[in-house]
Amino acid sequence: MSEMKSLTPLAQNYVDRFDALRATLPGHGNPLVASAREAGLARFAALDFPGRKVEEWRFTNLTPLTKGIEQAEAPAADSVPAPEFDTPHVMTFINGRFSAHDSHLDDLPQGIRLASLAAELGAGNNALPDSAAEESRAVVALNTAFMEDGFVLTAEPGVTIEEPILIRFLSQSGTADNARHMRNLIRLGADAEVTLLEEHRGMSGHAYFANPVTDIALEDGAALHHYKLQAESDAAFHLANVDCDIPKGATYENFSLSTGARLSRNELATRITGSGATSILNGAYLMRGKQHCDTTTVTRHLVPENDSRQIYKGILDDDAQGVFQGKIHIAPDAQKVAGDQLSRALLLSERASVAVKPELEIYADDVKCSHGASSGELDADAYFYLQSRGIDEKTARKMLIDAFLADVLEEVSNEAVRSYFADVTARWMDEV
């Protein structure tokens, strides 16, 4: 397989190591799992990591990743930090593996099941999405080949859980393994409602590659409030993909707050397949230094009478770079659809930059759609006004940044998560 084409160094490394590693991966004795892995590897070998000639990746250069991450064992972390977010339901993964010792899953209500993917595959449960043979995204195909663990969340019809579920993905030094291929599956029954908060964190200076893939399927009337904090190490690479099918009367709410990683990409794809369904994709990214953050979304309205909304805001300081690519696709005959999209970026440095590519692809005539994008500096008049009223320069600057972020944080429907995200952004702004 390695002779099929000339691959980037990291891709070639994965292809060369697959045969030696397959017996160590969960579910290796299951023919269906083995077949899915082989199909994923073959597809990845055919695609390689995307270069900037690939249209969807022309603003994000993966060369620092594809040259390979040095595998060097560092001193082990002293302990696992306690969760900052207060909830009785916590599932923890450390360096890509489920840690029962650092999890609290005993109080989940009846009808909610949360399990480790590795345990599911090891027990012979085929908790897998469809084959990766035709997968067009290289990092998803790679994940299928090397998936090591992740969470499997199921909710029976009509079940509602009041407190959010916290899923922690922690990357700590002390191991030469520097890749995390996590595969997460979420299945909500009809009229079920779940709030889920993911946290992706890493020790400062620790270099690794996080490649999480989340596959979500909702049944009619279900509601998933899916929040994510990406606070990876400043030396890490984080390439995440989320796919969600939204049927009749269902709601998918996603909010991603990104403050970490050397290079990150958050890619979301929603397919609206029923009337009365809603897709809500919002987020904020706060970058400084030489960080690069890419948000790419695709929302497909496939049937009439549903809606989607997107608001993303970014704050970029120093030499940081931001990317927003958002597409709303409305299929033929998908009438009476509403789709709105907004991207705004605040540049705190003359060296900071943002690339924006909003798209509307509409094949129906009875629709209401809008998109907008803007970027700029702090309002000089407002800045001067605050200082003229006796407010010092740093406080005035923080007040204007806080005002810029306030309305997008209000889009978080869960009050506890909204307050937590406000605390995270406040700590980031303390360093502005």
Side-chain angles (χ1 to χ4, degrees):
M1 189 175 296
S2 62
E3 300 177 359
M4 293 177 62
K5 60 178 289 189
S6 177
L7 300 174
T8 56
L10 183 59
Q12 189 65 57
N13 179 269
Y14 274 115
V15 172
D16 292 343
R17 295 169 58 218
F18 180 72
D19 286 339
L21 290 177
R22 72 167 80 204
T24 68
L25 296 170
H28 64 272
N30 185 325
L32 292 177
V33 176
S35 177
R37 291 191 187 279
E38 291 171 1
L41 184 73
R43 190 61 179 150
F44 174 69
L47 294 169
D48 201 341
F49 284 101
R52 299 183 78 170
K53 291 183 179 180
V54 178
E55 177 62 25
E56 295 84 356
W57 287 84
R58 68 189 180 100
F59 299 119
T60 297
N61 183 7
L62 290 182
T63 300
L65 169 66
T66 58
K67 285 183 176 179
I69 305 174
E70 182 180 355
Q71 293 195 7
E73 187 169 344
D78 292 334
S79 61
V80 176
E84 293 183 10
F85 183 77
D86 186 21
T87 181
H89 315 303
V90 180
M91 188 177 200
T92 301
F93 294 86
I94 301 175
N95 292 338
R97 297 291 182 180
F98 171 60
S99 173
H101 179 267
D102 300 291
S103 301
H104 307 281
L105 303 175
D106 295 337
D107 296 327
L108 288 169
Q110 186 174 0
I112 298 287
R113 184 171 183 271
L114 188 56
S116 156
L117 178 77
E120 292 289 284
L121 296 181
N125 298 329
N126 295 318
L128 288 173
D130 295 334
S131 169
E134 302 302 321
E135 177 58 63
S136 62
R137 297 161 299 180
V139 292
V140 176
L142 176 65
N143 180 285
T144 300
F146 287 94
M147 56 187 172
E148 53 191 325
D149 211 341
F151 66 87
V152 180
L153 172 63
T154 59
E156 295 180 3
V159 173
T160 297
I161 181 169
E162 294 182 2
E163 301 92 347
I165 298 171
L166 173 62
I167 311 285
R168 299 198 298 162
F169 297 99
L170 307 180
S171 290
Q172 298 185 314
S173 56
T175 174
D177 182 8
N178 59 5
R180 320 276 184 259
H181 301 287
M182 309 301 288
R183 192 56 160 255
N184 309 311
L185 303 175
I186 301 174
R187 304 288 184 264
L188 301 192
D191 299 315
E193 183 169 6
V194 172
T195 298
L196 179 71
L197 170 60
E198 289 184 36
E199 285 193 356
H200 300 257
R201 294 181 178 272
M203 295 180 63
S204 178
H206 179 34
Y208 55 91
F209 170 32
N211 178 26
V213 174
T214 302
D215 182 82
I216 303 168
L218 310 178
E219 294 187 8
D220 291 356
L224 176 61
H225 309 284
H226 187 191
Y227 307 117
K228 174 183 173 182
L229 172 62
Q230 186 275 102
E232 302 277 22
S233 158
D234 52 6
F237 297 87
H238 179 96
L239 306 179
N241 280 268
V242 175
D243 294 337
C244 183
D245 286 346
I246 312 173
K248 181 179 180 180
T251 297
Y252 177 62
E253 176 198 358
N254 181 290
F255 191 102
S256 299
L257 175 60
S258 297
T259 63
R262 172 182 175 182
L263 182 150
S264 64
R265 178 174 166 114
N266 195 45
E267 188 167 344
L268 300 129
T270 56
R271 299 173 68 255
I272 304 178
T273 60
S275 62
T278 301
S279 169
I280 305 170
L281 308 179
N282 298 319
Y285 53 96
L286 290 70
M287 300 283 117
R288 57 167 52 100
K290 295 184 180 297
Q291 289 180 289
H292 178 100
C293 182
D294 180 335
T295 299
T296 295
T297 69
V298 179
T299 295
R300 300 188 182 278
H301 295 262
L302 302 179
V303 298
E305 300 183 357
N306 45 64
D307 65 277
S308 66
R309 304 190 297 276
Q310 299 181 42
I311 301 177
Y312 285 91
K313 287 194 173 185
I315 298 177
L316 302 163
D317 202 357
D318 304 322
D319 296 285
Q321 297 176 331
V323 177
F324 175 77
Q325 302 180 105
K327 174 187 266 189
I328 297 176
H329 170 92
I330 300 179
D333 300 323
Q335 309 293 351
K336 301 187 183 303
V337 160
D340 296 306
Q341 180 187 96
L342 176 64
S343 168
R344 295 184 64 196
L346 183 61
L347 307 180
L348 302 181
S349 162
E350 292 183 356
R351 303 185 307 277
S353 63
V354 62
V356 181
K357 185 186 175 185
E359 292 183 82
L360 296 178
E361 192 174 72
I362 302 172
Y363 298 99
D365 51 19
D366 186 8
V367 301
K368 294 180 179 180
C369 292
S370 68
H371 67 85
S374 65
S375 62
E377 302 173 349
L378 288 172
D379 187 320
D381 291 339
Y383 199 19
F384 175 78
Y385 175 83
L386 291 173
Q387 292 181 79
S388 71
R389 294 299 183 269
I391 299 174
D392 65 85
E393 182 179 349
K394 183 174 182 179
T395 301
R397 185 179 172 92
K398 289 173 62 177
M399 289 175 66
L400 292 176
I401 296 171
D402 184 64
F404 176 80
L405 279 179
D407 59 343
V408 72
L409 290 177
E410 285 299 319
E411 297 293 327
V412 177
S413 65
N414 184 276
E415 184 177 354
V417 176
R418 183 169 64 247
S419 177
Y420 176 53
F421 281 177
D423 289 343
V424 172
T425 60
R427 291 199 297 267
W428 187 91
M429 286 187 288
D430 283 342
E431 301 177 24
V432 171

